[in-house]
């Protein structure tokens, strides 16, 4: 395993400056945004796609700082009911997969997307209960669209031998492990998880149990190291389906936090150990979205904690067996 960083918070720096900084704090891998919500500050697709010279320059820069790319990132909504927005997201995702193949990167992180609740809908509709019955019907409609889209997209990923790592994210169709497995079963094994625990914590999903569930099926393609803190004094009256602004920290029932500020080191030791049990040996890619600290301080504290808990070597023979 190694410690990685999604470089989006460093988007005001050049890629070389970001790599130099990350190398200096002990980071070994980077996840590079190339479209969608992460943006493309460090990897504009139009500058690198099908351009061998630009790709060679990128590899040389990565080699200079002994850095590898754990994944390309393009989180967006290819199932959006607005055809133009859906088409843009689809192009971003397909081109990211092609570019990953050309760069020798084995994963692209993304969202499943979310349709409207019917042909007449104009905005995505996140359904969290099967009643009244029209909600169950709307959910069935959404899954039909998703399976049609993702079956074709999964074949594109297979053609390029690139894993599609879907982040289980509320306000997307796939937001928990069983939905991820359903989509994988209905498509192919190139569809798997970008396992981000931060969105599972506040849903009260056990992280280690979810890792076992997905990992035993070889369905974890990438991992985001990101924490969440649930503030019980707010959650007792608001619940966790909280639409309070993320910047109104005092009133929210939960916040994204830097690694270690939602759950302590012992918990992260359990997370890393369970990842080892299911055979995951990739990057723990830190995604900084903690509004209580700066990007650099949040990244550095997360790196320090993860450095202490990750396994850098492979297990030896169990001589005591």
């Amino acid at each position: 395993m190694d410690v990685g960083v999604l470089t989006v918070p460093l988007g005001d720096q050049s890629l070389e400056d970001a790599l130099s900084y990350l190398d200096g704090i002990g980071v070994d891998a980077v996840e590079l945004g190339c479209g969608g919500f992460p943006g493309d500050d460090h990897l504009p697709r139009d500058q690198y796609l099908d351009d061998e010279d630009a790709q060679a320059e990128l590899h040389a820069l990565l080699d200079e700082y002994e850095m590898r790319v754990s994944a390309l990132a393009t989180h967006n909504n290819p199932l959006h009911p607005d055809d133009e927005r859906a088409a843009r997201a689809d192009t971003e995702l397909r081109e990211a997969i092609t570019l990953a193949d050309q760069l020798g990167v084995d994963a692209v992180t993304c969202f499943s997307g979310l349709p409207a609740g019917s042909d007449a809908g104009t905005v995505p509709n996140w359904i969290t209960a099967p009643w009244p019955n029209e909600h169950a019907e709307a959910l069935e409609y959404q899954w039909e669209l998703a399976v049609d889209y993702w079956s074709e997209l999964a074949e594109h990923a297979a053609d390029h031998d690139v894993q599609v790592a879907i982040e289980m994210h509320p306000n997307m169709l796939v937001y928990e492990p069983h939905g991820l497995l359903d989509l994988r079963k209905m498509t192919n094994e190139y569809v798997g998880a970008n396992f981000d625990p931060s969105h599972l914590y506040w849903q009260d999903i056990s992280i280690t149990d979810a890792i076992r569930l997905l990992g035993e099926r070889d369905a974890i393609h990438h991992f985001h190291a990101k924490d969440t803190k649930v503030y019980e004094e707010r959650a007792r009256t608001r619940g966790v389906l909280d639409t309070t602004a993320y910047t109104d920290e005092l009133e929210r029932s939960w916040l994204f936090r830097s690694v270690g500020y939602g759950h302590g080191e012992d918990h992260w030791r359990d997370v890393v150990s369970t990842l080892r049990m299911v055979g995951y040996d990739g990057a723990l890619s830190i995604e900084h979205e903690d509004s209580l600290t700066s990007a650099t301080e949040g990244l550095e504290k997360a790196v320090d904690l993860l450095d202490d808990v990750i396994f850098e070597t492979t297990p030896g023979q169990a001589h005591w067996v």
Side-chain angles (χ1 to χ4, degrees), residues 206-217:
S206 166
I207 302 306
T208 52
D209 288 344
I211 290 172
R212 286 175 181 266
L213 176 68
L214 295 177
E216 289 169 354
R217 293 159 177 80

Side-chain angles (χ1 to χ4, degrees), residues 25-44:
I25 63 172
V27 172
D28 299 310
V30 287
E31 181 184 355
L32 299 176
C34 64
F37 293 113
D40 63 357
D41 290 328
H42 291 148
L43 194 70

Side-chain angles (χ1 to χ4, degrees), residues 15 21 51-52 59 86 104 110 129 151 167 175 180 192 246 250 263 318:
L15 178 58
Y21 164 71
D51 190 326
E52 293 182 0
H59 283 301
C110 60
S151 294
E167 186 172 333
Y175 60 91
L180 189 285
Y246 285 104
L250 197 59
H263 298 79

Side-chain angles (χ1 to χ4, degrees), residues 238-257:
R238 288 189 183 278
V240 294
L241 296 177
D242 192 350
T243 57
T244 304
Y246 285 104
T247 51
D248 191 359
E249 294 91 350
L250 197 59
E251 292 300 318
R252 278 190 59 81
S253 62
W254 60 268
L255 290 172
F256 295 131
R257 298 305 317 274

Side-chain angles (χ1 to χ4, degrees), residues 215-226:
E216 289 169 354
R217 293 159 177 80
D218 296 322
I220 300 176
H221 292 338
H222 194 257
F223 188 92
H224 269 178
K226 182 178 165 190

Side-chain angles (χ1 to χ4, degrees), residues 149-169:
Y149 174 78
W150 279 99
S151 294
E152 185 178 342
L153 196 284
E155 289 301 320
H156 177 67
D159 289 343
H160 289 277
D161 196 24
V162 172
Q163 296 175 325
V164 181
I166 295 174
E167 186 172 333
M168 298 170 284
H169 196 296

Side-chain angles (χ1 to χ4, degrees), residues 30-314:
V30 287
E31 181 184 355
L32 299 176
C34 64
F37 293 113
D40 63 357
D41 290 328
H42 291 148
L43 194 70
R45 291 190 322 283
D46 59 351
Q47 294 181 25
Y48 289 93
L49 191 63
D50 300 324
D51 190 326
E52 293 182 0
D53 292 337
Q55 293 171 16
E57 290 177 5
L58 174 62
H59 283 301
L61 185 60
L62 293 164
D63 290 344
E64 180 180 348
Y65 293 99
E66 298 182 328
M67 201 77 65
R68 72 180 186 89
V69 179
S70 66
L72 305 187
T74 176
H75 299 71
N76 210 329
N77 185 357
L79 301 178
H80 200 288
D82 182 309
D83 290 342
E84 183 177 339
R85 294 178 64 173
R88 182 166 63 248
D90 175 61
T91 297
E92 291 168 348
L93 183 51
R94 289 177 183 275
E95 290 185 353
I97 290 168
T98 302
L99 180 57
D101 181 13
Q102 294 175 359
L103 291 173
V105 176
D106 64 7
V108 170
T109 59
C110 60
F111 292 143
S112 66
L114 182 67
S118 72
D119 283 334
T122 59
V123 296
N125 186 348
W126 184 40
I127 297 167
T128 58
W131 187 89
N133 293 337
E134 58 259 44
H135 294 276
E137 294 167 1
L139 186 59
E140 183 177 354
Y141 163 83
Q142 292 179 323
W143 271 100
E144 289 173 358
L145 292 182
V147 171
D148 284 347
Y149 174 78
W150 279 99
S151 294
E152 185 178 342
L153 196 284
E155 289 301 320
H156 177 67
D159 289 343
H160 289 277
D161 196 24
V162 172
Q163 296 175 325
V164 181
I166 295 174
E167 186 172 333
M168 298 170 284
H169 196 296
N171 285 319
M172 294 290 162
L173 185 62
V174 172
Y175 60 91
E176 46 75 32
H178 291 278
L180 189 285
L181 290 175
D182 286 344
L183 187 61
R184 178 180 171 87
K185 182 178 180 180
M186 291 183 278
T187 55
N188 67 28
E189 71 277 5
Y190 282 88
V191 172
N194 175 32
F195 195 107
D196 186 329
S198 68
H199 306 291
L200 306 185
Y201 286 127
W202 64 266
Q203 296 181 71
D204 201 26
I205 293 173
S206 166
I207 302 306
T208 52
D209 288 344
I211 290 172
R212 286 175 181 266
L213 176 68
L214 295 177
E216 289 169 354
R217 293 159 177 80
D218 296 322
I220 300 176
H221 292 338
H222 194 257
F223 188 92
H224 269 178
K226 182 178 165 190
D227 215 335
T228 293
K229 174 69 174 179
V230 176
Y231 295 95
E232 296 294 344
E233 64 276 17
R234 291 290 183 259
R236 281 193 292 268
T237 56
R238 288 189 183 278
V240 294
L241 296 177
D242 192 350
T243 57
T244 304
Y246 285 104
T247 51
D248 191 359
E249 294 91 350
L250 197 59
E251 292 300 318
R252 278 190 59 81
S253 62
W254 60 268
L255 290 172
F256 295 131
R257 298 305 317 274
S258 300
V259 172
Y261 282 84
H263 298 79
E265 185 172 309
D266 284 348
H267 169 78
W268 283 96
R269 289 185 187 277
D270 285 343
V271 168
V272 167
S273 297
T274 309
L275 287 169
R276 167 59 61 87
M277 288 179 190
V278 301
Y280 181 81
D281 62 358
L284 275 64
S285 184
I286 300 166
E287 182 182 24
H288 174 81
E289 291 183 350
D290 187 339
S291 62
L292 297 181
T293 182
S294 67
T296 53
E297 185 173 17
L299 290 175
E300 289 167 17
K301 289 183 181 299
V303 169
D304 287 344
L305 187 145
L306 292 176
D307 269 339
D308 287 340
V309 305
I310 63 169
F311 297 112
E312 297 179 342
T313 59
T314 56

